[in-house]
Amino acid sequence: MEGPSVTPTPNETAKPHFRSDVTVELVKHTASDSDVLWAARVSTAGEQSLEELNKDPERSKGLINYLMRDRHGSPFEHNSMTFFISAPIFVFREFMRHRVGWSYNEESGRYRELEPVFYLPGGERKLVQQGRPGKYEFVAGTPKQHQTVTEAMEAAYRRSYEAYQDMLAAGVAREVARAVLPVGLYSSMYATCNARSLMHFLGLRTQHELAKVPSFPQREIEMVGEQMEAHWAKLMPLTYAAFNNNGRVAP
Ligand SMILES: Cc1cc2nc3c(=O)[nH]c(=O)nc-3n(C[C@H](O)[C@H](O)[C@H](O)COP(=O)(O)OP(=O)(O)OC[C@H]3O[C@@H](n4cnc5c(N)ncnc54)[C@H](O)[C@@H]3O)c2cc1C
């Protein structure tokens, strides 16, 4: 959001902090399987009460599965989930390519001083890519490779944050000084979607044995996807089951 310019006051005590995780909090939702049934049944039955909608669970399950299988997508749009996500900037850069059915608001590097929180791959993160583009796999790194990654990233992060702080201390605006900060810096955002747009995201950004169309997402955005998926599965269990039973392709 645009706002009045404020003289930067550098946070001289800020020390770099390193993380290997991402966090996803479900902050707000109005999302249930009934929302899908409601929207679908207006075609044939007009307006219905919640009681009428839910009186035959087997029929509800069958209808949702039919909609998913035959890709009748619009009934899956009448719901909303808002997530608060904390992840490195390179994850958000991939995330915001998802344009349809998503709304985003991210913290500003112009109007606040960015905190020195940086991403380091955890011990379980596969480090080595083998094979050619389009046909490759990731395999575990050696302890030596993990050490190289940790040392190189920590040194680069510390140096870039020092440069950022030096510029702020010299009176340079945050929006200029932030140019030295790397994409491994953590950011945070609210992302709001509906079940249809989330399914499209999950089909592309997660790997799953039930997926009819395999995808090869970067692990870190997949970590975000897995947490969103876990929240959504609890809110809309019939829709979630139908998504999995029909090859994890968004309707
Ligand atoms: C494994 C992987 C690797 C990737 N690598 C790269 C890469 O190297 N470089 C790169 O730039 N991107 C890359 N991407 C991003 C990718 O190209 C898509 O931008 C991203 O996955 C969002 O998908 P989407 O456009 O289908 O989603 P959304 O933007 O949410 O769109 C949803 C659907 O709406 C329709 N739609 C949206 N906009 C239009 C439009 N303008 N015209 C017609 N139909 C539209 C399409 O049917 C689309 O599938 C990669 C994505 C993945 C998953």
Side-chain angles (χ1 to χ4, degrees):
M1 309 285 160
E2 293 294 320
S5 107
V6 179
T7 309
T9 47
N11 178 359
E12 280 158 12
T13 58
K15 290 266 179 286
H17 173 67
F18 305 107
R19 287 176 59 180
S20 303
D21 65 330
V22 298
T23 51
V24 176
E25 194 187 331
L26 177 68
V27 290
K28 202 162 62 138
H29 62 87
T30 156
S32 70
D33 292 319
S34 306
D35 297 328
V36 181
L37 299 170
W38 222 307
R41 288 202 182 134
V42 77
S43 302
T44 53
E47 194 179 14
Q48 288 202 304
S49 69
L50 199 56
E51 203 176 287
E52 277 175 301
L53 274 177
N54 290 324
K55 74 176 176 214
D56 185 348
E58 274 310 304
R59 187 163 166 243
S60 300
K61 195 171 148 190
L63 175 57
I64 289 178
N65 194 61
Y66 155 76
L67 295 169
M68 193 76 72
R69 189 195 68 208
D70 286 12
R71 305 196 70 197
H72 293 291
S74 52
F76 298 99
E77 295 172 8
H78 298 269
N79 58 83
S80 170
M81 291 164 274
T82 298
F83 299 98
F84 182 72
I85 302 169
S86 179
I89 288 172
F90 67 82
V91 170
F92 286 2
R93 186 168 165 175
E94 292 185 349
F95 207 126
M96 290 185 186
R97 298 298 304 278
H98 295 263
R99 299 158 287 177
V100 177
W102 286 91
S103 303
Y104 304 108
N105 277 95
E106 185 179 0
E107 72 178 84
S108 169
R110 301 184 69 200
Y111 305 121
R112 61 178 287 193
E113 185 179 333
L114 295 167
E115 294 290 324
V117 182
F118 297 98
Y119 177 70
L120 282 182
E124 71 300 336
R125 174 42 159 121
K126 292 176 178 166
L127 290 185
V128 179
Q129 186 176 334
Q130 286 181 346
R132 57 181 169 77
K135 195 171 182 359
Y136 55 80
E137 57 167 357
F138 281 85
V139 297
T142 61
K144 176 73 187 141
Q145 283 170 324
H146 274 282
Q147 187 187 349
T148 301
V149 166
T150 302
E151 288 173 5
M153 285 191 180
E154 281 196 18
Y157 290 154
R158 286 184 201 284
R159 179 65 202 106
S160 68
Y161 201 73
E162 261 170 40
Y164 176 65
Q165 292 278 292
D166 288 348
M167 283 186 268
L168 295 187
V172 173
R174 287 180 288 256
E175 68 181 43
V176 177
R178 68 172 169 174
V180 290
L181 295 173
V183 292
L185 186 80
Y186 273 72
S187 188
S188 56
M189 69 168 174
Y190 287 108
T192 298
C193 63
N194 60 56
R196 190 182 192 186
S197 52
L198 181 61
M199 286 188 270
H200 186 66
F201 179 94
L202 294 176
L204 290 168
R205 300 298 185 177
T206 59
Q207 287 194 303
H208 199 285
E209 57 185 6
L210 295 174
K212 226 165 24 192
V213 184
S215 193
F216 302 92
Q218 167 135 6
R219 178 61 193 141
E220 289 76 10
I221 194 167
E222 185 179 37
M223 286 155 59
V224 174
E226 286 169 353
Q227 291 189 42
M228 290 194 302
E229 179 168 339
H231 286 297
W232 171 58
K234 286 187 210 142
L235 299 175
M236 302 179 75
L238 296 183
T239 306
Y240 180 61
F243 176 57
N244 279 328
N245 293 338
N246 288 280
R248 293 173 68 87
V249 175

